[in-house]
Structure formats: structure tokens, C-alpha cells
Amino acid sequence: EAINSYRQAIAIDPLHGDAWYGLANLKTYRFSEADIAGMTQALNNTSPSFMSRIHILFALGKAHEDAGSYDLAFAAYEDGNELKKRQARYTSEQMQIEFAAQKTHCTPALIAARSGAGNPAPDPIFIVGLPRAGSTLLEQILASHSQVDGTLELPNILSIAHRLRGRNMVSDRERYPRVLNELSDADLFKLGEEYLEGTRIHRGSAPFFTDKMPNNFRHIGLIHLILPNAKIIDARRNPLDCCWSGFKQLFAEGQEFTYGLREIGDYFRGYVDLMNYWDEILPEGRILKVQHEDVLNDLEGQVRRILDYCELPFEEACIRFHETDRPVRTASSEQVRQPINTSGLAQWRHYEKHLGPLKDALGPALNTY
């Protein structure tokens, strides 16, 4: 039905970029040669809006990729990303400053001093990492368990962090996370309670629930302080697979670091470094790292490992995650409705000659991730 609606929109207006990209973003649709000609003609027209042009370029990249025309696909993805980057105010330098601030102010002394503070509820299971790292698959596995409600990419932790930053975000960029050192035990408990109350609307009746906001890895110090018994799962994927998959994805909002090969490489390297820091200062075993490739190669073994960490009994439904009927609103929505497969592995190899800037930016994280 969605395909028919998108095609009807294109028939009415061939310059309607959102409809072209809607087809591409289904992930299961295959463009015809006539579709490719239509998108190419639309891009040669001077009338498409700025955003329609971006949508068509990302869709054209997907069409060329499916056809095996990888150089043409890369050119379309690169042009689409370059246009999208013009809209963004993102800089790698500022993000690295934010990563460093977490390490400066979320110290081992702070973690030790506030042991036992925060709200003790064990309800949340946070799934963090980078987009396109396999987090939706982990969420679908957990949401298939009778004791876990699958929710959304919840904004609540980001909202709390934003409020803690206060109004002087430009003149005092490090107020958060520095302010964590100024909060009382009662403050931390209250923030944990606020999170639980704010997310309740997304839950059903299960005792546990997932929060799959990838960017929450930047706020694990905050999460640990306000919800010390929450589970935290770090979804990892080979950096070239992960970064390339992010580069060719046009996100509905946010994730501005993905619109450049150097930018996404810098971000991945900073993510690995910050996660290493959290592992150093938090209690041993506090965070469970799950490698995407391991899940694909040994589904049952990794499912049992994840459920053991979450202190949940094994349920066969978690292996049959693709049969679970629930709304999924991320870019992997159609992929997690299919049985496990390895078709997404090493797609970056088709584009390797173009990925020098990405490899340079990844640095040591290219091999030690």
C-alpha cells in the first residue's frame, strides 16, 4: 500500500523527492531503469526544492547501488550528503569537546561518591551506539520477550541533559556535565523518577522496557547516576560497515555527523574512546557490549548472553524476533521483520576506493573497536 501511494505521488509530481526517497527507505523496493531515468531527469530540472533534490539524490544512490553501479551510487550519495551538510551546524571539533567534557567531569571520584544514589528501579534497558549498528535488531530481540516492552528512540535522557545545561549554553558549554557534581542524592533520585514517569506513556504492562536512543552513549554517566540499576547495552558494528551505512542513510532528523565521511569517522572514533572511558570508571560488567557480527553468526548464543545480562529467562520468541508484531520506526524497520541474514555485511567494499577520508578519520578505531 505504501509503494502504491508513493508511486501515485510521483505520477502526480515527478519532482516530489520525498516520495522517491520513501520508496528507497523501504529498503525492500527495487527501482527500475525507468525509475532511475525519472530521478535523473528530475535532478536535471531546475524546479525541485532544495530538500527534494536531497531526497532524490539519496534515492538515486540506492537505485544505482541495487543495480551494481557503485561509482554512480557513490556520486549520488556524496552529492546528497554535501547538500544536506549545508543545512547542518555540526562540527567535529565541537563534538570532540563534548566528548572530552564527559571525561573531565564524570570522574571516578564522582561515580564512587554517588554509589547508591539515584532511583533504584531496574525497568529501563538502554541500547546505545551509533545509528545503523544493529541496535534495532537488539531492540526487536528484547521486545519479543514477554517481560519487555519495546518502545521508541526515547528523547527523555537527552531532554534531561539539555535542561541541566541551562540557558547559558553558548557562554558555559560545560555546565552539563559539570553540574552533575553539584547535584544532591535527592536530586539524582528525582531525575530518575522524572525519567520513569516521562517514559511511562510509551510502555505497556511489562516490568521492563527498552530505550533505543543511540546517542545516549554520550550520557552514560548521567544514566548511571540517576538510574543505577538500569541495563546498558552497547551495540557495536564493524566501523566501515557502520559508518558507510550511516553515510548513505538520510535520517528524518538529527544524526548530523553522518553527512560527511570525515565527520562520521571522527564521531565513531570519539564514540569508541568514550565507551572505553565508561568501561574504565563504571563497575565491572555495568555495560554489555554486543558485536553485530556475533549476533549474525551465533544468534541463539548472543540472545542467551543478552538475556542473562538483563536477568531475564530465555524465551524462544527472542530467536523468532522477526515474527514479533510491533511498530518499528527506524531505518531498519523492514530488515528486522526478516530472519537473520548476513546480506548487510561488508557492503563498504564496493566503495573502498572512495573511503580514504573515512579510514583516515577513524584512525586506530579502524581496527580496535
Side-chain angles (χ1 to χ4, degrees):
E1 291 175 2
I3 290 171
N4 290 336
S5 295
Y6 286 135
R7 296 220 59 91
Q8 184 178 0
I10 291 167
I12 295 170
D13 179 10
L15 306 184
H16 192 353
D18 204 2
W20 285 114
Y21 187 67
L23 290 172
N25 207 31
L26 290 173
K27 300 295 192 292
T28 55
Y29 181 80
R30 291 297 177 262
F31 290 100
S32 66
E33 290 185 9
D35 289 331
I36 293 174
M39 286 187 281
T40 303
Q41 185 176 354
L43 289 171
N44 290 333
N45 192 303
T46 58
S47 299
S49 68
F50 185 81
M51 200 60 221
S52 279
R53 194 170 290 277
I54 292 172
H55 278 121
I56 294 170
L57 282 165
F58 274 90
L60 186 59
K62 176 68 163 58
H64 283 313
E65 182 172 33
D66 289 344
S69 302
Y70 299 114
D71 287 344
L72 291 175
F74 182 82
Y77 287 136
E78 186 176 44
D79 288 348
N81 276 286
E82 187 59 37
L83 287 180
K84 183 63 178 174
K85 189 160 58 173
R86 294 182 194 175
Q87 291 184 318
R89 293 177 293 177
Y90 176 85
T91 68
S92 292
E93 292 75 17
Q94 182 55 45
M95 184 54 64
Q96 297 304 320
I97 290 172
E98 290 191 26
F99 289 157
Q102 291 289 333
K103 295 167 69 174
T104 297
H105 300 292
C106 292
T107 62
L110 171 64
I111 299 301
R114 296 311 174 86
S115 177
N119 191 299
D123 306 23
I125 303 172
F126 291 95
I127 304 173
V128 304
L130 262 69
R132 314 298 293 149
S135 57
T136 301
L137 174 59
L138 300 186
E139 177 193 45
Q140 185 77 349
I141 288 169
L142 282 164
S144 301
H145 197 282
S146 63
Q147 295 185 42
V148 182
D149 286 324
T151 62
L152 305 166
E153 295 185 347
L154 302 177
N156 301 68
I157 289 294
L158 305 183
S159 177
I160 291 171
H162 184 78
R163 194 173 74 250
L164 290 173
R165 283 192 177 95
R167 297 182 177 180
N168 299 322
M169 291 174 58
V170 175
S171 60
D172 187 5
R173 289 183 179 273
E174 292 191 17
R175 172 173 168 74
Y176 169 81
R178 187 184 66 242
V179 70
L180 295 176
N181 291 271
E182 304 166 12
L183 300 178
S184 67
D185 287 3
D187 292 330
L188 296 174
F189 182 92
K190 185 177 179 181
L191 287 174
E193 183 69 18
E194 175 189 326
Y195 172 84
L196 294 169
E197 289 300 317
T199 55
R200 199 168 302 280
I201 190 173
H202 301 290
R203 300 177 58 179
S205 57
F208 304 99
F209 69 99
T210 60
D211 180 341
K212 197 198 75 67
M213 177 60 78
N215 299 334
N216 278 340
F217 81 86
R218 286 149 47 183
H219 308 287
I220 286 178
L222 169 65
I223 291 171
H224 178 74
L225 291 172
I226 70 174
L227 294 161
N229 294 321
K231 302 299 184 184
I232 304 171
I233 298 175
D234 175 18
R236 293 283 177 102
R237 187 182 179 189
N238 175 287
L240 291 175
D241 266 329
C242 185
C243 293
W244 171 249
S245 187
F247 182 76
K248 68 178 186 177
Q249 176 69 42
L250 178 60
F251 292 94
E253 60 182 355
Q255 319 303 0
E256 294 178 335
F257 60 89
T258 63
Y259 299 118
L261 291 175
R262 291 190 184 279
E263 286 81 358
I264 196 170
D266 285 338
Y267 191 88
F268 189 100
R269 189 183 72 246
Y271 147 70
V272 170
D273 180 68
L274 186 56
M275 289 307 302
N276 288 341
Y277 179 74
W278 296 132
D279 282 334
E280 289 172 8
I281 71 166
L282 296 180
E284 185 176 357
R286 181 72 176 91
I287 301 169
L288 179 71
K289 182 169 73 172
V290 179
Q291 193 69 38
H292 182 62
E293 294 79 8
D294 292 343
V295 178
L296 301 186
N297 292 325
D298 179 18
L299 177 61
E300 181 171 340
Q302 289 299 309
V303 166
R304 289 183 179 277
R305 178 172 172 260
I306 292 166
L307 295 180
D308 285 347
Y309 166 76
C310 292
E311 301 178 84
L312 292 167
F314 176 77
E315 291 184 0
E316 189 68 29
C318 296
I319 302 293
R320 302 194 309 272
F321 62 87
H322 54 283
E323 299 174 3
T324 301
D325 185 16
R326 57 179 286 266
V328 180
R329 296 184 175 88
T330 71
S332 302
S333 58
E334 296 308 308
Q335 290 149 313
V336 297
R337 303 189 199 286
Q338 302 168 16
I340 208 81
N341 65 82
T342 58
S343 61
L345 293 180
Q347 291 185 357
W348 61 271
R349 292 191 182 280
H350 298 300
Y351 305 91
E352 186 165 14
K353 67 182 179 181
H354 301 290
L355 300 184
L358 172 58
K359 291 182 178 182
D360 290 344
L362 285 168
L366 180 62
N367 300 305
T368 54
Y369 57 88

